[in-house]
Amino acid sequence: MTCLPAATLLLTALLMGFDSLGQQRPGLPADTEISRRSDGTPELVRFANPATAPAATDAARVLRTTLGLGTQTELRATRPAETDEMGITHQRYQQFYQGLPVEFSAYNTLSRNGKLEVLNGDLHPLADGALNVQPTLTAAQALPAALRFVHAQKYMWQLPNEGKFARETEGKATFRPTGELVIVSDDRTETAGMPGKSVLAWKFDIYAAQPDSRAWIYVDAHTGAVVNRDAISQEVAATATFTTKYSGTRQLANQTLSGLSFLSDNTRGLGIETINSMRTNTAPVAHGLYDSNNVWTAAEYNNANQDWVGGDTHFGAQQTYDYWKLVHGRNSFDNAGAKLKSYYHFDTTPGDGIGWTNARWNGSVMLYGDGSGVNYSALTTVDICGHEMGHAICKYTANLKYFRESGALNEGFSDIWGACIENRAAGLYNLPNKNTWLIAEEIYINGGYLRSMSNPNAKNQPDTYGGNHWVFQSAASDTVDNGGVHTNSGVLNYWFYLVSQGGSGTNDKGNLYNVTGLGITKAAKIAYLTEKMLTQLSDFATARSTAIQAATTLYGVNSLEVRTVTNAWFAVGVGNANIAYGTGNTSYIDLVSLNNLVRSSGSDGGYYGLFIGNMMPTLARCSQQTLLHSAGFTGAITTQYWNVWVDYNNDGDFSEAGERVITNKVVVNNAGFLASQFVVPPTATLGYCRMRVAMGSLAINSPCGSVGAGEVEDYLVKIAAAAPLAMPANLQATNVMATGADITWTFVPGAVSYRVSYRLNTAGTWMTGGVAAPFTARTLGGLQSGKIYQYFVEAIDHCGTAGLASATQTFVTPAARPTGTSPDQSTAPASLATATAYPNPATDVLRLTLTDATGAETSPATVDVFDLRGARLLNAAYDGNSGTLRVGTLAPGLYTATLRSAVGTPVHVRFVKE
């Protein structure tokens, strides 16, 4: 069982086979699980039962039905389907709108044995006719805006031999940009982490030479404004016998031509080609490094130019290819055997005598600098080579945008693959100087490393989401390192370390964690499937839910692997820990009912159940909700504790005050349904959130603690705005007397109390009095005889907010009767003007007074109590000394008290017993 994702971000809520209005999607099995973002768009769909799951060949229809696509939107397969070593077939689809690609919007399908298993991705909802796709500007008119935005001193296409470099690396004639018309989100209108408004844009590949950079730049095709940027260049922030600099003497497949050997391997995919850039920033004429006897010794190549790092580059590329092929069954970065082309001795500022201290995947090839030569040597170690091809893998899987959280995930996955590849190579070749969990440790001349996956804080990276060293999103941070991609990647790095190695401690949020490691091989399989399921704008919350789903797909529900993955995310501050509720199924939740949700079930195959009901309850702010629940038992009936939480602020946990709505309610049998009530606070975040119902043999204090023998179930609920209470109807003024009257009205659903306001029609100030629901009457006392009074009534909800006020009504108090008038026909004798009862309504004791015309107060000598039928009651004791009537024994309702003075003159007053 898993706790919630963090939310920062975007809610992953479970909804089984039904749309955002609670209506079942046509053509989907009833037990389909649909995970949604906070805007309601589906993020992950899981077909829980293979027997009812749609056929993989029906994917196009299922996607259209599930996602509710308009007629002008379609999803097109972007590449052939891939089947991995686990027998899972992956297919990726790109969103198109009116024939144009929608950037950063893609969907995946995972199928097994011919049946769809999981759908997931990002979708940009676009209604038919929502966009004008006829550009106002041509590509030529839009390009200057992109160039002004980059503001480079020189561009790659302006270099003398750029045509050859373009042909050699990318098979095109020039790097000069040409525009492509696309739909993209305007990042300037992004709010709360959600994509901005979709616009028509020209997309340009701008490759700058000075200063060095490469990115897709998007220019609004109507206004000419730059609306988005996506970095292409992605960096590390930092058989021959070949003696390498970092990996000893290795046997490397290469080629020999005319008696000269060069670093080109045709035994892997479409080839591995390693080329000497000769300290330039373009492609050389030839490979640039040859050997006459195919024995590349340190004596020959360990020179001032560090030529022996060519062997490291070649070895790193071969180990990277082998890792992906032999461990994950992937044939090069595109899974189609693409040639791995690496350029070492690359220098972005040739001729200045300072080597380039960096390495890069430039969108097509790998580029490696020589380092400064003072603190850093060449950046051609195995983990750096694996890291750079990791960016290429990302391009052909998740294609994570190189910006903010998605960019940090991009960098983190590259570090993961660098570590995995180095770990495998070190084991195969007994390379003692390599540390799996340190990045680029071998390039430091005087000792050190670039990043630590086991302790990110050591290099000023966060190990906790939002914790120490975390780069928060802001306009300022966006201009440095693409929003902190090389810094915030520490969170994913540490997550992977914990999944692999395990660990315990306290994170920056003060949470204690304990993670059982799975080993690097299992951790890598989970990470790889996770990356394949992510899409361009995925963030850490999405990565968490996707990784849990990946572990579930690979190893099963409630497996050790799922628990480890979940607990590792909790350790890095994303979501909550995995719940271990116990192993026995002697008791379970057999009913949960809330509004239109009615779910009865057995033990759900274990100690945790996901919502699989047929409706999603809507909970309005300030409403009182009644949850019905009951327990089932397979053995003896035992005491059960019930706890319920609602994630009111939708932040992915239940830690805020007020989110625990039922606390350790003790039940000792299973006879009938239990009713538990709670009130939805006025501050609850509108939209979808999680409700957790826990029942077990243990009293608990945590939503993620063990409940003992029992069960926990999660449900999706929708928080709606508070609906104003209806106005009280059928107002009447009854029993109108010279000094008092009874105001009555009909019950208003949802009211917790009522407010009665009244005044003389000539007065400016209203007097008010309260009445607790469900009573619908109020006795007014102390009125003036022979006067016109106005009154109205408002219903009050559970948040103390008044609903619609009733129309103002009036009544007239009669003039006081002269002395001698029968008391049964008058309010009081001339000598008495007022009878009062307070507090009114009363619960235990009612204070009664008589006030004569002079204003003198006395206690009545005797008091009789009558109910609404006129029957005299004997169970209300009156104490004449204190003037108090004890009404605690009366049933709730409306009563009349007849007060008599010492001379026996009766006066009547109404009161409410609560």
Side-chain angles (χ1 to χ4, degrees):
M1 149 62 199
T2 57
C3 285
L4 324 196
T8 170
L9 333 150
L10 294 174
L11 168 72
T12 299
L14 295 173
L15 177 61
M16 310 302 194
F18 293 78
D19 68 15
S20 60
L21 299 178
Q23 302 299 313
Q24 188 171 9
R25 292 284 195 193
L28 294 184
D31 56 357
T32 303
E33 301 170 7
I34 303 179
S35 173
R36 298 182 182 276
R37 294 183 180 274
S38 58
D39 64 357
T41 57
E43 179 185 40
L44 188 146
V45 179
R46 179 174 177 265
F47 300 104
N49 185 355
T52 60
T57 54
D58 201 22
R61 181 196 64 80
V62 174
L63 283 169
R64 178 166 291 278
T65 298
T66 305
L67 302 177
L69 303 181
T71 59
Q72 293 180 340
T73 298
E74 61 178 318
L75 292 174
R76 301 178 186 173
T78 58
R79 62 180 73 100
E82 303 173 0
T83 300
D84 63 21
E85 75 283 0
M86 303 294 293
I88 302 171
T89 299
H90 306 250
Q91 179 69 71
R92 178 165 292 233
Y93 295 84
Q94 167 74 43
Q95 182 182 358
F96 283 78
Y97 178 76
Q98 297 190 45
L100 297 178
V102 180
E103 298 289 280
F104 315 123
S105 181
Y107 237 77
N108 305 306
T109 63
L110 271 65
S111 59
R112 188 158 25 191
N113 299 323
K115 290 296 191 80
L116 287 175
E117 194 167 297
V118 176
L119 318 175
N120 80 294
D122 285 300
L123 181 75
H124 289 207
L126 285 167
D128 289 348
L131 282 183
N132 175 11
V133 298
Q134 298 302 316
T136 303
L137 303 175
T138 65
Q141 291 170 325
L143 178 58
L147 298 179
R148 286 193 299 271
F149 180 83
V150 176
H151 195 58
Q153 299 173 23
K154 184 174 289 187
Y155 294 94
M156 189 63 73
W157 61 89
Q158 296 172 331
L159 299 178
N161 58 346
E162 67 92 16
K164 176 175 175 55
F165 191 26
R167 287 190 298 273
E168 291 285 338
T169 60
E170 300 185 14
K172 58 186 181 183
T174 179
F175 287 113
R176 185 178 297 277
T178 57
E180 177 190 3
L181 208 56
V182 300
I183 309 296
V184 72
S185 61
D186 184 347
D187 272 4
R188 301 173 304 167
T189 62
E190 176 186 302
T191 57
M194 297 298 294
K197 175 184 176 183
S198 294
V199 298
L200 181 72
W202 287 106
K203 175 183 178 181
F204 297 102
D205 175 1
I206 307 297
Y207 198 166
Q210 293 180 6
D212 181 66
S213 70
R214 191 176 187 182
W216 294 111
I217 305 298
Y218 298 85
V219 179
D220 191 311
H222 294 301
T223 68
V226 173
V227 296
N228 209 317
R229 176 186 182 273
D230 184 17
I232 299 173
S233 294
Q234 297 166 12
E235 310 173 341
V236 168
T239 303
T241 300
F242 205 117
T243 302
T244 69
K245 178 177 178 63
Y246 302 115
S247 297
T249 300
R250 304 268 64 88
Q251 303 296 314
L252 308 177
N254 66 350
Q255 292 189 58
T256 300
L257 183 65
S258 301
L260 293 178
S261 299
F262 55 98
L263 299 177
S264 181
D265 177 1
N266 289 329
T267 67
R268 293 169 168 88
L270 296 178
I272 295 177
E273 197 165 0
T274 305
I275 301 169
N276 183 359
S277 288
M278 298 184 290
R279 297 187 180 272
T280 70
N281 60 1
T282 60
V285 176
H287 285 80
L289 197 64
Y290 299 89
D291 189 81
S292 59
N293 63 359
N294 210 18
V295 179
W296 310 66
T297 65
E300 294 174 286
Y301 298 104
N302 180 8
N303 50 34
N305 206 40
Q306 297 190 81
D307 284 333
W308 62 342
V309 301
D312 289 285
T313 307
H314 202 54
F315 177 68
Q318 290 177 330
Q319 291 309 302
T320 299
Y321 178 91
D322 288 351
Y323 172 82
W324 286 105
K325 180 65 174 176
L326 300 177
V327 176
H328 298 293
R330 188 176 186 89
N331 187 7
S332 191
F333 56 80
D334 65 350
N335 205 23
K339 179 180 286 188
L340 300 187
K341 212 164 188 178
S342 304
Y343 290 81
Y344 63 98
H345 289 334
F346 191 84
D347 195 341
T348 57
T349 57
D352 64 359
I354 300 174
W356 184 45
T357 306
N358 219 321
R360 169 179 300 161
W361 157 258
N362 81 339
S364 302
V365 300
M366 277 74 78
L367 308 173
Y368 300 99
D370 284 340
S372 64
V374 178
N375 296 316
Y376 311 99
S377 56
L379 285 82
T380 56
T381 59
V382 171
D383 57 351
I384 293 177
C385 294
H387 176 107
E388 294 313 323
M389 187 169 162
H391 286 304
I393 295 289
C394 186
K395 175 183 177 181
Y396 284 88
T397 53
N399 197 21
L400 290 159
K401 185 179 180 182
Y402 204 63
F403 183 61
R404 290 186 174 177
E405 289 193 28
S406 57
L409 292 172
N410 190 325
E411 276 297 324
F413 277 115
S414 279
D415 277 352
I416 287 170
W417 304 132
C420 290
I421 292 163
E422 181 184 75
N423 177 267
R424 181 177 181 273
L428 284 175
Y429 299 104
N430 190 26
L431 305 177
N433 296 325
K434 299 188 185 299
N435 187 316
T436 299
W437 306 114
L438 298 180
I439 305 299
E441 70 278 9
E442 295 170 288
I443 70 169
Y444 283 71
I445 294 174
N446 299 312
Y449 51 89
L450 187 61
R451 290 187 290 274
S452 170
M453 299 180 73
S454 59
N455 181 19
N457 285 174
K459 287 294 183 178
N460 298 318
Q461 282 190 295
D463 61 12
T464 305
Y465 184 94
N468 297 333
H469 308 299
W470 176 264
V471 177
F472 288 91
Q473 296 179 4
S474 68
S477 67
D478 288 349
T479 62
V480 179
D481 192 29
N482 290 291
V485 299
H486 287 99
T487 302
N488 292 346
S489 59
V491 171
L492 186 66
N493 286 355
Y494 192 52
W495 169 82
F496 184 77
Y497 171 80
L498 289 173
V499 174
S500 302
Q501 303 300 108
S504 61
T506 304
N507 66 17
D508 292 347
K509 295 183 177 181
N511 294 322
L512 296 172
Y513 62 87
N514 186 18
V515 182
T516 301
L518 303 175
I520 196 169
T521 301
K522 273 191 177 180
K525 287 185 180 296
I526 294 168
Y528 179 43
L529 182 54
T530 299
E531 186 172 3
K532 288 196 290 185
M533 293 172 66
L534 295 176
T535 52
Q536 288 167 288
L537 296 179
S538 294
D539 57 14
F540 278 91
T542 303
R544 176 193 184 273
S545 60
T546 304
I548 293 169
Q549 178 58 54
T552 302
T553 298
L554 292 171
Y555 301 106
V557 177
N558 295 327
S559 60
L560 169 64
E561 291 78 9
V562 169
R563 294 197 296 272
T564 290
V565 166
T566 308
N567 287 337
W569 280 114
F570 172 68
V572 298
V574 185
N576 279 28
N578 180 276
I579 303 177
Y581 285 110
T583 57
N585 293 322
T586 57
S587 58
Y588 56 87
I589 298 170
D590 70 357
L591 173 82
V592 171
S593 176
L594 180 62
N595 294 344
N596 58 335
L597 162 67
V598 180
R599 178 179 185 251
S600 58
S601 67
S603 62
D604 295 316
Y607 44 78
Y608 175 72
L610 297 174
F611 171 64
I612 54 175
N614 60 358
M615 281 292 177
M616 165 185 66
T618 297
L619 313 181
R621 289 171 171 172
C622 300
S623 65
Q624 179 172 282
Q625 300 294 327
T626 300
L627 176 72
L628 299 178
H629 48 94
S630 67
F633 298 88
T634 59
I637 296 173
T638 57
T639 299
Q640 296 296 304
Y641 294 85
W642 288 87
N643 289 271
V644 178
W645 292 265
V646 181
D647 184 18
Y648 283 131
N649 68 343
N650 191 17
D651 69 343
D653 59 45
F654 298 116
S655 61
E656 282 70 31
E659 291 191 336
R660 188 175 191 172
V661 298
I662 300 173
T663 301
N664 287 323
K665 185 172 185 176
V666 181
V667 182
V668 294
N669 61 57
N670 66 339
F673 305 140
L674 306 167
S676 298
Q677 294 181 324
F678 59 92
V679 174
V680 182
T683 55
T685 301
L686 299 178
Y688 305 106
C689 68
R690 189 82 63 102
M691 178 178 72
R692 169 154 296 157
V693 181
M695 183 209 76
S697 59
L698 301 177
I700 61 174
N701 294 314
S702 167
C704 294
S706 173
V707 301
E711 194 173 46
V712 172
E713 294 178 346
D714 277 356
Y715 294 86
L716 177 68
V717 299
K718 184 177 183 180
I719 305 298
L725 297 182
M727 67 174 62
N730 300 321
L731 266 68
Q732 295 185 58
T734 62
N735 298 321
V736 179
M737 300 174 285
T739 58
D742 294 330
I743 307 301
T744 63
W745 57 91
T746 55
F747 174 75
V748 175
V752 68
S753 64
Y754 302 91
R755 182 166 60 218
V756 180
S757 300
Y758 63 100
R759 69 179 181 183
L760 281 168
N761 69 328
T762 58
T765 302
W766 292 92
M767 293 178 288
T768 61
V771 177
F775 305 114
T776 55
R778 172 79 185 187
T779 297
L780 306 181
L783 306 182
Q784 300 179 34
S785 62
K787 300 294 184 180
I788 300 173
Y789 279 88
Q790 299 174 319
Y791 68 97
F792 66 89
V793 180
E794 302 162 284
I796 309 297
D797 66 18
H798 287 269
C799 296
T801 304
L804 301 173
S806 68
T808 301
Q809 309 276 16
T810 61
F811 65 87
V812 180
T813 57
R817 298 288 184 178
T819 304
T821 302
S822 169
D824 292 334
Q825 298 175 354
S826 68
T827 301
S831 62
L832 294 175
T834 305
T836 59
Y838 64 89
N840 192 2
T843 55
D844 296 313
V845 176
L846 189 68
R847 172 74 174 175
L848 300 171
T849 59
L850 292 170
T851 305
D852 63 19
T854 66
E857 289 187 355
T858 61
S859 297
T862 62
V863 177
D864 292 315
V865 178
F866 301 88
D867 64 17
L868 289 177
R869 301 170 299 165
R872 183 169 176 267
L873 305 178
L874 301 177
N875 57 338
Y878 174 66
D879 181 358
N881 293 325
S882 62
T884 56
L885 179 70
R886 297 192 176 278
V887 296
T889 57
L890 298 180
L894 184 64
Y895 297 88
T896 299
T898 299
L899 288 60
R900 289 181 174 84
S901 65
V903 296
T905 304
V907 181
H908 310 291
V909 63
R910 291 280 184 90
F911 69 90
V912 175
K913 164 62 170 63
E914 290 184 329

